[in-house]
Amino acid sequence: MAASLELSCWGGGWGLPSVHSESLVVMAYAKFSGAPLKVNVIDNTWRGSRGDVPILTTEDNIVSQPAKILNFLRKQKYNADYELSAKQGADTLAYIALLEEKLLPAVLHTFWVESDNYFTVTKPWFASQIPFPLSLILPGRMSRGALNRILLTRGQPPLYHLREVEAQIYRDAKECLNLLSNRLGTSQFFFGNTPSTLDAYVFGFLAPLYKVRFPKIQLQEHLKQLSNLCRFCDDILSSYFRISLGAFSCVNRYQQQIDFGEVHSHDSTT
Amino acid sequence: MSLVAEAFVSQIAAAEPWPENATLYQQLKGEQILLSDNAASLAVQAFLQMCNLPIKVVCRANAEYMSPSGKVPFIHVGNQVVSELGPIVQFVKAKGHSLSDGLDEVQKAEMKAYMELVNNMLLTAELYLQWCDEATVGEITHARYGSPYPWPLNHILAYQKQWEIKRKMKAIGWGKKTLDQVLEDVDQCCQALSQRLGTQPYFFNKQPTELDALVFGHLYTILTTQLTNDELSEKVLFLSEDGKW
């Protein structure tokens, strides 16, 4: 447990500690559970990998993918869910599945597939984070991966045409946002007064959608109408991520090391 | 189908009552149908049974190709064809029968979330086991999937389907999972379902809903299908409450 935990992930912008959903999920969970995480933001140097981000490195392990990283943190006794009942734990799994099936395709589409958004916002931002010539290749690859995922999971064989799928995925995403809003109601977090894994996932998926300025914003508009979800994101940002905007410029020339020293501890770190 | 077409269909659906000759199409029961398709078909049959709507099951070798979305089962009601549990539930609701009307908003959200959990984990695990586990693929899946067709079509179709499924697994991040990891996920899913069910007869109050139909379809099929690897059914057996069905 005294082993140093290093997380490499994409950097931040627009007031967020990270613009990448999966990285944000892990960062939020680390804050909630009190895990002392050293964050290495991907930058213009060639160190570290950029492929499977976020990646957690300790002295003897390398863990990728948010679900596995969260499991690893729990095994290290950084558990944000210790106050949850078994049923709430089950609900967490179910809602995470709902997010991945219904909301994720539309978020991927908004960021990576919608041409206006991709070419004016997403691609320049990601390209500015990584060195040339990788900046020419990696964003394109991520975009193709996103399109692939949407078509394979939601498209209808044998044609897999995007237009037929677009309307459906946005409708599902709006429904999902409504369901989340209903479930959250007026409480501060999804399960009582302390944040848990589900809050980390919801925050990770919603915050980029909420904060990043896009030209084509139908899903963002819908989200902004659900004031309790917006309040939820803002609350977490102001309570757990009190970082000055100066630390997160869009072009990182040097490696950023942000110590998560100021952490709200939840006596689970013993 | 597009939103306009869907709204149109719902309106037509609402106009007519449920006919007596509604039919459900699936693949051949004895020789062709696979675990995941059987589970889906059983879920739809259970749902319609719970709504007290008569349905006749017809087995056709090319059911998958007849379906509008490429997935079985699909139902043929009046002059409309609807496939997959989600749209079928909507369709039945447009006709005025619904199992989840009595639920409040939060419960409906929970129900949808749990249905996605089953689709996300159980269904994907079934597909993985059928198409990505070499032992099962070689002994059971290939033989069954292509059985109604002559050589070489049976091999070609089976390989084509396998390639398609493997692509999908890779896209959602399951491509690199080992069988043990998949079984662990199934375990987690079953535990979650078991926690949610507790000691009640159904997931929500005393009435069955589409979630009960879906879970029943999957669990029953997993428990009663012979595969090379029995671990899947062992995991599911721990859900002792399903004995109630």
Side-chain angles (χ1 to χ4, degrees):
Chain A
M1 274 161 278
S4 72
L5 300 166
E6 286 188 25
L7 179 74
S8 62
C9 59
W10 291 103
W14 294 279
L16 296 172
S18 172
V19 165
H20 186 226
S21 283
E22 297 185 340
S23 309
L24 204 51
V25 168
V26 176
M27 282 170 147
Y29 183 83
K31 282 286 195 179
F32 297 160
S33 63
L37 215 53
K38 197 162 77 154
V39 176
N40 294 337
V41 166
I42 290 179
D43 59 10
N44 271 334
T45 66
W46 283 93
R47 44 187 315 291
S49 72
R50 281 149 226 88
D52 256 343
V53 162
I55 297 183
L56 183 72
T57 338
T58 62
E59 280 158 6
D60 3 275
N61 284 317
I62 297 182
V63 192
S64 65
Q65 291 186 355
K68 290 193 196 151
I69 296 178
L70 260 52
N71 267 339
F72 181 81
L73 287 175
R74 276 189 211 108
K75 291 203 181 102
Q76 302 287 316
K77 307 261 187 289
Y78 297 116
N79 187 4
D81 294 343
Y82 74 104
E83 276 179 5
L84 297 185
S85 69
K87 180 178 172 307
Q88 288 173 325
D91 282 351
T92 303
L93 271 185
Y95 276 102
I96 292 176
L98 185 71
L99 282 175
E100 280 181 1
E101 287 283 317
K102 299 275 179 187
L103 188 58
L104 182 62
V107 171
L108 284 178
H109 187 273
T110 306
F111 271 76
W112 294 100
V113 180
E114 176 67 59
S115 353
D116 280 349
N117 294 347
Y118 174 62
F119 286 109
T120 53
V121 177
T122 319
K123 187 169 176 190
W125 190 88
F126 277 88
S128 70
Q129 302 289 303
I130 47 184
F132 180 88
L134 204 56
S135 58
L136 295 178
I137 309 173
L138 193 58
R141 200 192 297 168
M142 288 170 85
S143 169
R144 275 191 296 279
L147 180 61
N148 218 17
R149 184 176 172 144
I150 295 174
L151 286 182
L152 283 178
T153 50
R154 300 313 220 74
Q156 297 169 10
L159 294 173
Y160 289 121
H161 202 274
L162 183 61
R163 206 153 296 126
E164 292 155 12
V165 174
E166 268 173 20
Q168 176 76 29
I169 57 181
Y170 276 102
R171 199 165 45 147
D172 282 344
K174 287 176 186 167
E175 198 194 319
C176 179
L177 289 176
N178 291 343
L179 291 177
L180 285 175
S181 182
N182 282 334
R183 176 66 184 75
L184 181 61
T186 49
S187 26
Q188 196 186 3
F189 298 110
F190 278 92
F191 297 116
N193 290 326
T194 45
S196 61
T197 308
L198 181 58
D199 300 285
Y201 268 91
V202 174
F203 175 70
F205 279 86
L206 290 187
L209 196 60
Y210 176 40
K211 291 284 186 185
V212 178
R213 299 271 160 265
F214 283 121
K216 286 269 176 67
I217 47 171
Q218 53 158 320
L219 198 55
Q220 203 174 51
E221 290 288 320
H222 188 92
L223 175 59
K224 288 193 173 144
Q225 289 171 10
L226 299 168
S227 54
N228 60 351
L229 291 179
C230 298
R231 191 249 318 144
F232 172 78
C233 290
D234 285 327
D235 275 350
I236 293 185
L237 276 174
S238 58
S239 333
Y240 291 91
F241 291 103
R242 261 184 262 119
I243 309 167
S244 64
L245 279 176
F248 284 104
S249 54
C250 280
V251 179
N252 295 318
R253 285 263 142 221
Y254 306 101
Q255 181 185 316
Q256 296 272 358
Q257 291 188 3
I258 298 104
D259 258 318
F260 279 39
E262 243 183 76
V263 156
H264 291 224
S265 58
H266 290 278
D267 295 340
S268 51
T269 57
T270 46
Chain B
M1 49 176 133
S2 72
L3 293 175
V4 172
E6 257 188 62
F8 191 53
V9 163
S10 300
Q11 242 186 343
I12 300 188
E16 305 159 350
W18 190 268
E20 285 299 317
N21 61 348
T23 35
L24 176 138
Y25 288 86
Q26 63 172 39
Q27 290 117 329
L28 303 176
K29 211 161 184 181
E31 316 87 40
Q32 191 195 16
I33 197 165
L34 293 173
L35 178 61
S36 50
D37 297 329
N38 203 9
S41 177
L42 206 53
V44 172
Q45 288 176 47
F47 174 71
L48 291 172
Q49 186 97 333
M50 288 169 183
C51 295
N52 286 322
L53 296 170
I55 190 100
K56 200 168 64 136
V57 177
V58 171
C59 298
R60 289 266 186 279
N62 59 344
E64 203 178 357
Y65 303 105
M66 285 202 277
S67 157
S69 72
K71 300 205 168 73
V72 282
F74 65 94
I75 56 173
H76 179 205
V77 175
N79 57 359
Q80 277 143 27
V81 180
V82 190
S83 65
E84 292 184 78
L85 184 64
I88 291 178
V89 169
Q90 304 266 35
F91 181 75
V92 165
K93 193 166 174 182
K95 288 222 181 272
H97 307 268
S98 172
L99 291 179
S100 49
D101 273 343
L103 303 179
D104 65 32
E105 289 301 324
V106 174
Q107 285 177 318
K108 279 193 186 154
E110 258 187 56
M111 184 182 75
K112 293 219 156 88
Y114 275 96
M115 283 176 78
E116 288 311 322
L117 180 67
V118 172
N119 279 333
N120 204 351
M121 291 232 180
L122 272 189
L123 181 62
T124 319
E126 284 168 9
L127 284 175
Y128 181 93
L129 196 58
Q130 278 168 208
W131 292 104
C132 304
D133 174 41
E134 292 308 323
T136 320
V137 167
E139 281 189 35
I140 301 181
T141 319
H142 264 207
R144 282 186 77 100
Y145 189 75
S147 60
Y149 305 107
W151 187 91
L153 193 57
N154 53 357
H155 285 302
I156 297 175
L157 288 178
Y159 277 116
Q160 186 184 47
K161 181 84 183 183
Q162 184 179 19
W163 180 74
E164 206 182 285
I165 302 282
K166 278 195 165 157
R167 258 180 90 198
K168 182 173 164 185
M169 291 290 150
K170 198 161 151 216
I172 58 176
W174 281 55
K176 300 210 180 84
K177 283 199 178 180
T178 62
L179 187 60
D180 287 327
Q181 287 169 332
V182 170
L183 290 173
E184 248 181 65
D185 284 340
V186 171
D187 203 19
Q188 233 186 3
C189 178
C190 290
Q191 297 244 10
L193 288 173
S194 176
Q195 300 290 358
R196 180 63 185 80
L197 185 60
T199 47
Q200 301 165 280
Y202 301 109
F203 278 97
F204 289 99
N205 302 328
K206 308 273 187 306
Q207 300 297 323
T209 56
E210 42 264 35
L211 176 60
D212 301 276
L214 182 64
V215 174
F216 167 71
H218 282 277
L219 294 186
Y220 185 81
T221 326
I222 293 178
L223 287 173
T224 54
T225 309
Q226 278 288 44
L227 289 176
T228 52
N229 198 332
D230 276 332
E231 285 184 39
L232 191 59
S233 42
E234 277 166 31
K235 296 264 180 243
V236 165
L237 266 174
F238 285 115
L239 271 189
S240 51
E241 282 81 1
D242 71 281
K244 295 221 177 19
W245 289 310

